[in-house]
């Protein structure tokens, strides 16, 4: 009994360590769940147990999946010649929400970083180079963050792929849809100006 | 396999419905957990299942507990003559963090609200009145929010307890510790002035 009163406190403490949550929001979430303990909370616990047990990395692209190969890599309707390289699974999901890309993905699992001592072999870059040969890829789209680490990683990959003669492209930079110039940083504005197009 | 790829999306959707979380933060949390699926995620799932199964309301005070009676109500070291009335369990936890009150609690489970059609019998007010008689209470401290609904509830309870001759008190209002006058609302400042004390 007491042990399980501790469970409530341990649950709060564990939730409080999740990204974006803190002690206050964790307490709020746990109370919300306890009020729905037979419904939402039991369901959430079950889902979490399932995912914790079954989730793994797709052996091809590194996406999160329940099997060995993720649904995207298995989908015959997806173009096989194009690989979109993303930093992590969150970026893959973001690309999928955009619904613009119909090829396959490759998740690096991070960015090159001298500071954090993350080198090419700590990421899934060798696996990417293998895929270029194995899957006769024609285009690699580098959908990496426009940050220093992201662009360092992009340049490294572009150089590593140079010998393969595959065409390496990157996402366009410019004014975001619905973006007001007044609120844009100077870097974005000058990038958008440099990449200006005819109307 | 596909079913369990859906589990990941269902987990995200369920997390996104939690208070203070949205789709973006839910995705972030789930990815964070999947990276720690054998450790933190499995532990969290287990804790949640335990709490979902065992958590209930203390039959005396309405606190969240694993048994029939919560540790506070069972603690012989806590003063029996004083009851601190709080709106919900979050407020009880807040009072406990303050470590100032050593009596027992009574959780109302909400505030009176004409708008939301919440009347005295929807809250644990009758149970409170019973406790006054049963536990020969000498003081009832109303630790209710300084909102319209909170104060309405406080006045209703004070009137309901008038016949019992128990002394009914409320939390002092004034400048919060570390509060800068410049940032305080006028209501608080005038309340603090009205309740001014000798140095």
């Amino acid at each position: 009994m007491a042990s399980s009163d501790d469970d409530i406190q341990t649950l709060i403490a564990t939730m409080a360590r999740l990204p974006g949550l803190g002690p206050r929001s964790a307490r709020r979430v746990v109370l919300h769940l306890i009020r729905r303990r037979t419904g939402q909370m039991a369901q959430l616990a079950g889902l979490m147990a399932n995912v914790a047990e079954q989730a793994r990395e797709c052996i091809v692209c590194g996406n999160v999946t329940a099997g060995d190969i993720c649904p995207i890599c298995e989908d015959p309707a997806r173009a096989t010649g194009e690989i979109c390289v993303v930093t992590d699974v969150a970026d893959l999901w973001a690309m999928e929400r955009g619904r613009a890309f119909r090829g396959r993905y490759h998740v690096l699992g991070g960015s090159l970083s001298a500071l954090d001592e993350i080198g090419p072999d700590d990421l899934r870059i060798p696996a990417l180079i293998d895929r270029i040969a194995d899957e006769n890829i024609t285009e690699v789209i580098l959908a990496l963050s426009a940050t220093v680490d992201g662009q360092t990683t992009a340049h490294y990959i572009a150089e590593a792929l140079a010998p393969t003669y595959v065409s390496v492209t990157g996402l366009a930079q410019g004014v975001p849809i619905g973006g007001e110039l007044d609120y844009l940083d100077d870097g974005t504005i000058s990038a958008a100006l440099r990449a200006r197009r005819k109307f």
Side-chain angles (χ1 to χ4, degrees), chain A:
Chain A
M1 198 159 112
S3 79
S4 167
D5 280 314
D6 300 345
D7 276 357
I8 298 177
Q9 296 310 315
T10 317
L11 177 58
I12 294 170
T14 314
M15 294 283 262
R17 290 205 312 275
L18 294 176
L21 275 78
R24 180 177 299 274
S25 38
R27 283 192 297 268
R28 194 152 149 248
V29 165
V30 169
L31 275 176
H32 168 96
L33 285 173
I34 287 178
R35 285 194 206 95
R36 296 154 181 74
R37 53 186 170 277
T38 52
Q40 196 180 8
M41 190 175 199
Q43 179 206 12
L44 194 55
L47 280 168
M48 239 182 232
N50 287 353
V51 174
E53 191 197 329
Q54 301 179 328
R56 54 178 58 79
E57 273 187 0
C58 169
I59 57 178
V60 179
C61 71
N63 185 10
V64 163
T65 179
D68 293 335
I69 299 179
C70 76
I72 294 175
C73 287
E74 273 188 332
D75 182 352
R78 313 270 315 204
T80 51
E82 301 170 2
I83 290 184
C84 176
V85 178
V86 290
T87 307
D88 54 37
V89 177
D91 298 342
L92 186 157
W93 289 348
M95 290 293 295
E96 282 298 284
R97 287 196 298 281
R99 286 206 188 66
F101 179 67
R102 299 301 303 158
R104 310 282 172 95
Y105 290 94
H106 191 80
V107 180
L108 294 176
S111 301
L112 292 176
S113 164
L115 208 64
D116 307 334
E117 292 179 332
I118 299 176
D121 299 340
D122 303 318
L123 307 179
R124 304 183 68 258
I125 291 178
L128 172 64
I129 294 167
D130 295 343
R131 284 183 72 183
I132 307 296
D134 304 348
E135 304 175 24
N136 53 59
I137 303 301
T138 56
E139 179 176 7
V140 171
I141 302 161
L142 300 175
L144 304 177
S145 306
T147 59
V148 172
D149 285 353
Q151 292 312 299
T152 312
T153 314
H155 284 110
Y156 177 90
I157 293 175
E159 277 183 21
L161 296 185
T164 67
Y165 299 110
V166 65
S167 95
V168 179
T169 59
L171 294 181
Q173 294 194 314
V175 181
I177 305 303
E180 293 183 44
L181 285 191
D182 190 14
Y183 291 94
L184 280 178
D185 60 294
D186 313 354
T188 305
I189 290 181
S190 47
L193 181 65
R194 268 184 264 107
R196 63 189 177 279
R197 324 175 263 90
K198 266 210 156 47
F199 248 76

